[in-house]
Amino acid sequence: MAVMQEILSAQGNARKLLVVLIDPDKPVAIEALSPHLCLPDLIFVGGSTGAQTETCVAQVRQHTSRPILLFPGNIAQFTPSADALLFLTLLNAHTPEVLIYPHIQVAQQVLRSGIETIPMGYILVDGERKSSVEIATNTQSIPQSDVSTIVQTAVAGQLLGKQLIYLEAGSGAHIPVSAEIIRAVRAELQIPLIVGGGITTPEAMICAFEAGADIVVIGNHFEQYPDEIADFVRIKQERYD
């Protein structure tokens, strides 16, 4: 089954998905995570430079049969060895250097590789900490108080043909995307909704799911506490699988 079909099937059956995000530039974290990578539903691979992306995907592949999706920060992070590519657009960016130029540079390479490509709208929401994406792209995150702009941006992404919308509070965010925002976006959206950034407890994960997230992504917390993956997965399965 194609990865996007699996995501849509889960959404249709109200089955929530938990993702572990792995930064290929952190080999020590990858090693610590490896014994637990058979547990989550999906694996995202993406980081700041991407120099080790292909090596990371190969290493992860040794420890899981779950789909591995590229979550690239730049064109250097593309490798056809993953199961799918999240071909993302930073929807609240304001310059073509971020909005479309990177896509143009890698488009033919992606097409010729035959990799499953999933168009995704990516929205930076203020997590009370400036994220690496904000710094790298010079993009201003949307304040969490501005719910209407976040909703409008998500709906615009859907109308532009994105198959997924990702609400991102940023790596290591001090606060996650609020339940109010998730509910408001979910009420207007038909496509699957991903939420990540600042989720550090099972309670925060459940809060995001209950508000309407179809997929929750956790990166930094699992890098620090890889043994907790099993508890998060168990709690999710007890409620939603």
Side-chain angles (χ1 to χ4, degrees):
M1 181 186 294
V3 178
M4 191 60 206
Q5 288 179 330
E6 184 172 336
I7 292 172
L8 289 173
S9 175
Q11 183 192 30
N13 291 293
R15 185 171 70 86
K16 306 295 187 177
L17 302 179
L18 178 63
V19 174
V20 172
L21 171 61
I22 297 177
D23 187 338
D25 300 321
K26 298 178 180 178
V28 175
I30 297 170
E31 184 177 349
L33 287 165
S34 293
H36 310 281
L37 295 181
C38 60
L39 299 174
D41 299 290
L42 303 169
I43 309 293
F44 286 4
V45 172
S48 53
T49 68
Q52 305 297 321
T53 298
E54 189 162 0
T55 301
C56 177
V57 170
Q59 184 176 350
V60 171
R61 185 81 69 192
Q62 296 175 4
H63 297 279
T64 186
S65 61
R66 302 307 302 138
I68 302 170
L69 289 77
L70 298 179
F71 179 48
N74 57 59
I75 61 174
Q77 294 181 30
F78 174 68
T79 171
S81 60
D83 296 297
L85 166 66
L86 296 170
F87 204 62
L88 65 90
T89 301
L90 180 52
L91 293 176
N92 52 315
H94 299 291
T95 63
E97 288 78 12
V98 176
L99 277 171
I100 189 62
Y101 287 170
H103 307 76
I104 293 171
Q105 290 176 285
V106 79
Q108 286 183 299
Q109 183 183 357
V110 170
L111 184 65
R112 290 167 180 166
S113 75
I115 193 171
E116 180 182 356
T117 305
I118 303 172
M120 183 176 78
Y122 186 66
I123 303 171
L124 284 176
V125 179
D126 182 22
E128 294 190 351
R129 176 181 178 180
K130 201 168 187 67
S131 69
S132 58
V133 176
E134 288 181 82
I135 296 168
T137 64
N138 195 29
T139 298
Q140 185 68 43
S141 61
I142 304 174
Q144 296 213 25
S145 59
D146 193 355
V147 178
S148 63
T149 296
I150 296 170
V151 172
Q152 290 166 357
T153 305
V155 172
Q158 177 175 276
L159 294 175
L160 283 166
K162 306 306 179 186
Q163 295 178 15
L164 301 169
I165 294 294
Y166 192 138
L167 299 178
E168 170 71 279
S171 178
H174 291 159
I175 58 170
V177 179
S178 72
E180 177 189 6
I181 292 170
I182 298 170
R183 280 194 295 269
V185 171
R186 177 75 278 160
E188 299 293 334
L189 212 62
Q190 283 75 53
I191 58 178
L193 177 61
I194 306 173
V195 175
I199 297 174
T200 60
T201 65
E203 292 76 17
M205 174 187 68
I206 294 299
C207 179
F209 282 142
E210 290 297 310
D214 299 290
I215 301 171
V216 163
V217 178
I218 301 177
N220 277 11
H221 183 72
F222 285 158
E223 286 178 3
Q224 298 176 50
Y225 308 102
D227 291 343
E228 291 189 11
I229 294 175
D231 288 334
F232 278 72
V233 170
R234 175 183 54 79
I235 291 167
K236 180 199 74 80
Q237 288 177 340
E238 288 173 353
R239 285 177 174 261
Y240 304 111
D241 289 7

